[in-house]
Amino acid sequence: MKTTPIDETHGAALRSWVESAHAPGTDFPIQNLPFGVFRTSGTESNRIGVAIGEFVLDLRACLERSLLTGMPTRILAACGESTLNALMACPDIERRALRHRLSHLLRAEGAQVTAKPHAAEVLVPQREARMALPARISDYTDFYASIDHATNVGSMMRPDNPLLPNYKWVPIGYHGRSSSIVVSGTPVRRPSGQIDPSAAGQPPHFEPSKLLDYELEMGIFIAEGNELGTPVPVTEAGAKIFGLCLLNDWSARDIQKWEYQPLGPFLSKNFATSISPWVVTAEALAPFRVAAFHRPEGDPAPLPHLKSAQDQALGGFDLNLEVSLSTRAMRSHGHAPVRLSRSNVASLYWTPAQMIAHHTSGGCNLNPGDLLGTGTVSGKTKESRGCLLELTMRGKDRLALPGGETRAFLEDGDEITFTASCEREGFARIGFGECRGVVIG
Amino acid sequence: MKTTPIDETHGAALRSWVESAHAPGTDFPIQNLPFGVFRTSGTESNRIGVAIGEFVLDLRACLERSLLTGMPTRILAACGESTLNALMACPDIERRALRHRLSHLLRAEGAQVTAKPHAAEVLVPQREARMALPARISDYTDFYASIDHATNVGSMMRPDNPLLPNYKWVPIGYHGRSSSIVVSGTPVRRPSGQIDPSAAGQPPHFEPSKLLDYELEMGIFIAEGNELGTPVPVTEAGAKIFGLCLLNDWSARDIQKWEYQPLGPFLSKNFATSISPWVVTAEALAPFRVAAFHRPEGDPAPLPHLKSAQDQALGGFDLNLEVSLSTRAMRSHGHAPVRLSRSNVASLYWTPAQMIAHHTSGGCNLNPGDLLGTGTVSGKTKESRGCLLELTMRGKDRLALPGGETRAFLEDGDEITFTASCEREGFARIGFGECRGVVIG
């Protein structure tokens, strides 16, 4: 597996002339440089931007001021687009060149080219930027890569045999709906659907879902894809990752239970999927690569087409996730959001490279801008369960909230927020912004 | 449900100045006028065309010769595009106006505007046209609407209880892969994948599928879609159908068996889906609308959101399907393709309008150019089983072929061809062309 090198753009000592890039706890220091798509009241169409501190660096404005001169032709064209697809399609060596240029444009000292004299024209305050979906997502696939999630969910259905026999062999995934992927901040309407008859012989009802849930996931954007009929070897699959974002796979558990046999989830998932607007690149994440999940004694080794020494060594991401809830009553009484769980992407049974190698192993083609979800990222402890189904054991253990409320599943007005960050001694902390959605009736 | 009116464009007496439009057995009389996308060695990019006899009417050439003057602005713009998406997005009243104009351009007598003097510039022989996918398909959903198919497949797994309890309530469907949809004629590469361990305790193998199959389906292209969060009532769902094509949902049964629990088929289906290039419009199919499937005594009525009197009366399509096989040996010995089965879309348990109403009932948005598959169209008799899994009872009853060959599943060099047609006393027969694919190793 090709892994992105750690280089001077990751240096902890690197400083930006944008002061808020050094604010304690900022998600967007100069070592991050995530891409997104935004517009303001003053711009006519969507533009590509890079988050830096509390600002967005406007790439079209950079182009207009010749700040990207010298970049490869494809990169120059891609930076003027209104989605990230063309940038995602550029070869990784060219994307790395762009990262270096952006780092220089924003650094306080030693820049080959600086954007500082143009600050007023190329920086937009994030509070004035309306974020859009980062890419035109043609195909969206959702995996099921957390063995703890699969075990927790399976144990509710099959207490003696929670994991199906294929789980440790196959990176289980299914096709999702791309049209209903929305950007963070978009309200999510509670779906109606057919609900399982509660007593045998009773007909199903069509009514609003009562068991609405979130699922804490990461999204993986594909860079260069592959031709139909040409699988991507696992040794090359890591290089197909453009970057990561947060992903909320909203799920209606009652609809899911009644519909999912024999062809899998459908309406229980396709009413909305939320993603965070900033895509943190594989380059930015280079310092946070860790070993793949260590399979315990007795687990089978991955089949040869899913196994590589480098993926074993560096295929994982040490990436902390957190989910919080704020109810309407909590907000009106001034209570802060309450944290529901924390987990880490390194706990996934399958790496992103294994997901990509598996996805293409029968010949299926991936395209730049395609999105893969990891599946709910849960850990071994109760505090690390990535959805309410697991946290409340299908609603049996209601959560106590500030102000005396309780929750089994989501109620109208509930707002769910995901955040994520990477931390490592000797490196700047980088964050993902947030993925937020409020449930409306 | 809005149904398209039968009007003078359907008249059996209508004749075209294109003589091959009257050849016995032609799929493309003047009453059909299906849309497709093509290019020739002389055209630089894909263009929209309309099949007429052995020719394609080139709509860009018609635009250039002012033959579409007077059409609505959106229609004029859409006819110059290189996919059908913009045309699909036009209101049905405008699309109907275009159908009338095309009918006039091609009719032998009584035309308000005729293309005849421009024949040499606007007609392209079909043998010189290279067909492309008719639309940019953002999302593809496959249903499972044939109760005979569901029963046959279910009986192999659960002889005592072939149909799952949700089948008669829920139009079961799942999301498919849009990137690997290919146009008829594209060879289909046999996928490799993980194959179920044959004996308990044996690890799975990664190897070429041995149980490669076709599935005989119709594809439904969506016209105007709906906004996220806004379901389409079943009474309006019929008007969302732009047109129909043939669809081969190639399936690797051995991969499917091992991977499909708990989230449904994935690699067993996403290596290729073939569709026919010509989209026969809802307008052309107006004379062939029939009652929805008659549910036998004891079956539940559809829930209110899936039921409408008009859909009951005219929601079905009387559309005959046929599948044939030609092996490499058959071709080299001069044997004609052999017919494997015949079935009819009217036998589906769920109508296309019910599929659309169900799909959007939780708020999921459909877009122009989205594709729905009906699922394998099988009937009650052995001769009407729409895939080899059913025809050979999972390979037990091998098919005898001309020249002494037999088949349980598809072998390399096997070519599968689907055709379809509508016939009704007093109306011209219309056809769908073909959906063809050869298996390569």
Side-chain angles (χ1 to χ4, degrees):
Chain A
M1 192 190 70
K2 293 183 199 166
T3 43
T4 314
I6 298 176
D7 59 33
E8 51 112 10
T9 64
H10 301 101
L14 210 56
R15 294 188 65 80
S16 174
W17 51 263
V18 179
E19 291 196 5
S20 56
H22 307 286
T26 182
D27 279 347
F28 307 121
I30 191 170
Q31 293 83 359
N32 192 347
L33 304 174
F35 291 97
V37 166
F38 74 103
R39 66 193 304 171
T40 67
S41 54
T43 54
E44 280 161 18
S45 60
N46 288 343
R47 297 168 169 229
I48 295 175
V50 174
I52 179 78
E54 293 174 1
F55 291 87
V56 180
L57 179 70
D58 176 342
L59 291 199
R60 199 174 299 165
C62 289
L63 283 170
E64 287 161 3
R65 280 152 194 86
S66 303
L67 293 171
L68 299 176
T69 305
M71 289 291 101
T73 318
R74 274 177 295 200
I75 290 283
L76 289 172
C79 289
E81 292 284 323
S82 56
T83 67
L84 295 178
N85 295 74
L87 189 59
M88 290 164 164
C90 289
D92 58 354
I93 190 168
E94 298 188 358
R95 286 182 273 120
R96 210 142 59 219
L98 176 61
R99 175 176 168 84
H100 278 264
R101 173 62 59 89
L102 295 170
S103 178
H104 276 267
L105 289 179
L106 292 166
R107 64 181 59 173
E109 291 167 9
Q112 291 155 1
V113 194
T114 180
K116 193 175 180 185
H118 307 275
E121 297 94 48
V122 299
L123 288 189
V124 174
Q126 282 183 30
R127 64 175 180 281
E128 294 174 15
R130 203 170 75 204
M131 303 304 295
L133 283 180
R136 192 181 58 253
I137 302 165
S138 291
D139 275 297
Y140 159 50
T141 299
D142 202 17
F143 283 88
Y144 193 56
S146 162
I147 193 168
D148 296 306
H149 172 68
T151 304
N152 289 338
V153 171
S155 69
M156 295 180 208
M157 289 187 276
R158 301 171 301 274
D160 297 336
N161 184 26
L163 270 191
L164 291 168
N166 56 14
Y167 191 85
K168 293 178 179 177
W169 299 98
V170 179
I172 295 288
Y174 67 107
H175 301 117
R177 179 81 193 176
S178 63
S179 70
S180 54
I181 298 174
V182 296
V183 73
S184 172
T186 308
V188 171
R189 190 170 294 281
R190 178 183 301 274
S192 288
Q194 288 191 35
I195 311 293
D196 195 12
S198 51
Q202 289 301 300
H205 302 280
F206 182 80
E207 59 187 21
S209 169
K210 292 192 179 74
L211 309 185
L212 187 59
D213 203 354
Y214 62 86
E215 289 196 339
L216 176 62
E217 305 195 12
M218 292 304 291
I220 300 160
F221 274 105
I222 297 298
E224 291 174 274
N226 62 303
E227 293 294 317
L228 184 64
T230 308
V232 178
V234 66
T235 48
E236 293 170 24
K240 302 293 186 188
I241 301 171
F242 176 82
L244 271 57
C245 67
L246 291 156
L247 186 152
N248 187 341
D249 177 26
W250 303 93
S251 299
R253 303 301 182 188
D254 36 10
I255 298 173
Q256 186 174 359
K257 189 180 171 198
W258 175 234
E259 75 169 1
Y260 92 105
Q261 290 283 17
L263 300 179
F266 183 51
L267 299 190
S268 56
K269 303 276 196 175
N270 72 10
F271 59 95
T273 302
S274 301
I275 63 173
S276 58
W278 294 110
V279 184
V280 177
T281 63
E283 289 77 22
L285 293 167
F288 310 100
R289 301 305 294 262
V290 292
F293 179 83
H294 181 71
R295 295 182 169 216
E297 185 86 15
D299 277 14
L303 287 177
H305 71 294
L306 298 176
K307 191 176 178 179
S308 95
Q310 288 139 301
D311 190 46
Q312 288 292 114
L314 283 175
F317 289 89
D318 180 11
L319 204 168
N320 295 298
L321 296 170
E322 195 167 313
V323 51
S324 68
L325 165 67
S326 157
T327 70
R328 194 184 285 146
M330 284 168 65
R331 292 193 295 280
S332 71
H333 291 98
H335 293 297
V338 61
R339 185 170 70 215
L340 299 184
S341 71
R342 283 205 284 199
S343 56
N344 190 295
V345 174
S347 69
L348 295 179
Y349 198 82
W350 299 101
T351 66
Q354 288 173 318
M355 295 177 205
I356 291 167
H358 175 68
H359 202 318
T360 63
S361 65
C364 182
N365 52 333
L366 301 178
N367 287 306
D370 282 354
L371 183 65
L372 313 183
T374 56
T376 309
V377 183
S378 293
K380 290 208 178 310
T381 63
K382 177 156 185 180
E383 293 66 35
S384 61
R385 294 178 185 167
C387 61
L388 288 172
L389 180 71
E390 293 172 80
L391 276 171
T392 70
M393 291 303 284
R394 205 185 271 280
K396 287 204 299 271
D397 304 337
R398 295 180 71 89
L399 299 179
L401 302 177
E405 287 185 289
T406 65
R407 283 293 182 276
F409 288 95
L410 296 173
E411 299 189 3
D412 292 352
D414 287 359
E415 184 172 64
I416 290 291
T417 303
F418 296 169
T419 54
S421 62
C422 294
E423 295 184 62
R424 178 180 163 188
E425 186 70 31
F427 288 89
R429 172 191 177 282
I430 66 172
F432 283 73
E434 61 180 24
C435 179
R436 196 166 45 78
V438 66
V439 176
I440 58 176
Chain B
M1 191 189 70
K2 294 182 198 167
T3 43
T4 313
I6 299 176
D7 59 33
E8 52 111 10
T9 64
H10 302 101
L14 210 55
R15 295 188 65 81
S16 174
W17 50 263
V18 179
E19 291 196 7
S20 57
H22 308 285
T26 181
D27 279 346
F28 307 120
I30 191 170
Q31 293 82 359
N32 192 345
L33 305 174
F35 291 98
V37 166
F38 75 102
R39 66 192 305 170
T40 67
S41 55
T43 55
E44 279 160 18
S45 60
N46 288 344
R47 298 168 169 228
I48 296 176
V50 174
I52 180 77
E54 294 174 359
F55 291 87
V56 181
L57 179 70
D58 177 342
L59 291 199
R60 200 175 298 167
C62 288
L63 282 171
E64 288 161 2
R65 278 152 195 85
S66 303
L67 294 171
L68 300 175
T69 305
M71 289 291 101
T73 317
R74 274 176 295 201
I75 291 282
L76 289 172
C79 288
E81 292 283 324
S82 55
T83 67
L84 295 179
N85 295 75
L87 189 60
M88 289 165 164
C90 290
D92 58 354
I93 191 168
E94 297 188 358
R95 285 184 273 120
R96 210 142 60 217
L98 176 62
R99 174 177 170 83
H100 278 263
R101 172 64 58 89
L102 294 169
S103 178
H104 277 267
L105 289 178
L106 292 165
R107 65 181 57 174
E109 290 167 10
Q112 292 155 0
V113 194
T114 180
K116 192 174 181 184
H118 308 274
E121 297 94 47
V122 299
L123 288 188
V124 175
Q126 282 183 30
R127 64 175 182 281
E128 293 174 16
R130 204 171 73 206
M131 302 305 295
L133 283 180
R136 193 180 59 255
I137 302 165
S138 291
D139 275 296
Y140 159 50
T141 299
D142 201 18
F143 283 88
Y144 192 57
S146 161
I147 193 167
D148 296 306
H149 172 68
T151 304
N152 289 338
V153 171
S155 68
M156 296 181 208
M157 291 187 276
R158 300 171 302 274
D160 297 335
N161 184 26
L163 269 193
L164 291 168
N166 56 13
Y167 191 85
K168 293 178 179 175
W169 299 98
V170 179
I172 295 289
Y174 67 107
H175 301 118
R177 179 82 192 174
S178 63
S179 70
S180 53
I181 298 173
V182 297
V183 73
S184 172
T186 308
V188 171
R189 190 170 294 282
R190 178 183 300 275
S192 289
Q194 289 191 35
I195 311 292
D196 196 13
S198 51
Q202 290 300 301
H205 303 281
F206 181 81
E207 59 187 22
S209 169
K210 292 192 179 73
L211 309 186
L212 188 59
D213 203 353
Y214 62 85
E215 288 195 341
L216 176 61
E217 304 194 13
M218 291 304 289
I220 300 160
F221 274 105
I222 297 297
E224 290 173 274
N226 62 303
E227 293 294 317
L228 184 62
T230 308
V232 178
V234 67
T235 48
E236 294 170 24
K240 302 294 186 188
I241 301 171
F242 176 82
L244 271 57
C245 66
L246 291 155
L247 186 152
N248 187 341
D249 177 27
W250 303 92
S251 299
R253 302 301 181 189
D254 36 10
I255 298 173
Q256 185 174 0
K257 188 179 171 200
W258 174 234
E259 75 169 1
Y260 92 104
Q261 290 283 17
L263 300 179
F266 183 50
L267 299 189
S268 55
K269 302 277 194 174
N270 71 10
F271 57 95
T273 302
S274 302
I275 62 173
S276 57
W278 294 111
V279 184
V280 177
T281 63
E283 288 78 22
L285 293 168
F288 309 100
R289 301 304 294 263
V290 291
F293 179 82
H294 180 71
R295 294 182 169 216
E297 184 85 14
D299 277 15
L303 287 177
H305 71 293
L306 298 176
K307 191 175 178 181
S308 95
Q310 288 138 302
D311 189 48
Q312 287 293 115
L314 283 174
F317 290 89
D318 180 12
L319 204 167
N320 295 298
L321 296 171
E322 195 167 313
V323 51
S324 68
L325 165 69
S326 158
T327 71
R328 193 183 285 147
M330 284 167 65
R331 291 193 296 278
S332 71
H333 291 97
H335 292 296
V338 61
R339 186 171 71 215
L340 299 184
S341 71
R342 282 204 284 197
S343 55
N344 190 295
V345 174
S347 69
L348 295 179
Y349 198 81
W350 299 100
T351 65
Q354 288 174 319
M355 296 176 204
I356 291 166
H358 175 68
H359 202 318
T360 62
S361 64
C364 182
N365 52 333
L366 301 178
N367 288 306
D370 283 354
L371 183 65
L372 314 183
T374 55
T376 309
V377 183
S378 293
K380 291 210 177 307
T381 63
K382 176 154 186 181
E383 293 66 35
S384 60
R385 295 178 183 166
C387 62
L388 289 172
L389 180 71
E390 293 172 79
L391 277 171
T392 70
M393 289 303 285
R394 206 186 270 280
K396 286 203 302 269
D397 304 337
R398 294 181 71 91
L399 299 179
L401 301 177
E405 286 186 289
T406 64
R407 282 293 182 277
F409 287 96
L410 296 173
E411 299 190 3
D412 292 351
D414 287 358
E415 185 171 65
I416 290 291
T417 303
F418 296 169
T419 54
S421 62
C422 293
E423 295 183 64
R424 177 179 163 189
E425 185 70 30
F427 289 89
R429 173 192 177 281
I430 67 172
F432 283 72
E434 62 180 25
C435 179
R436 196 167 44 78
V438 65
V439 175
I440 59 176

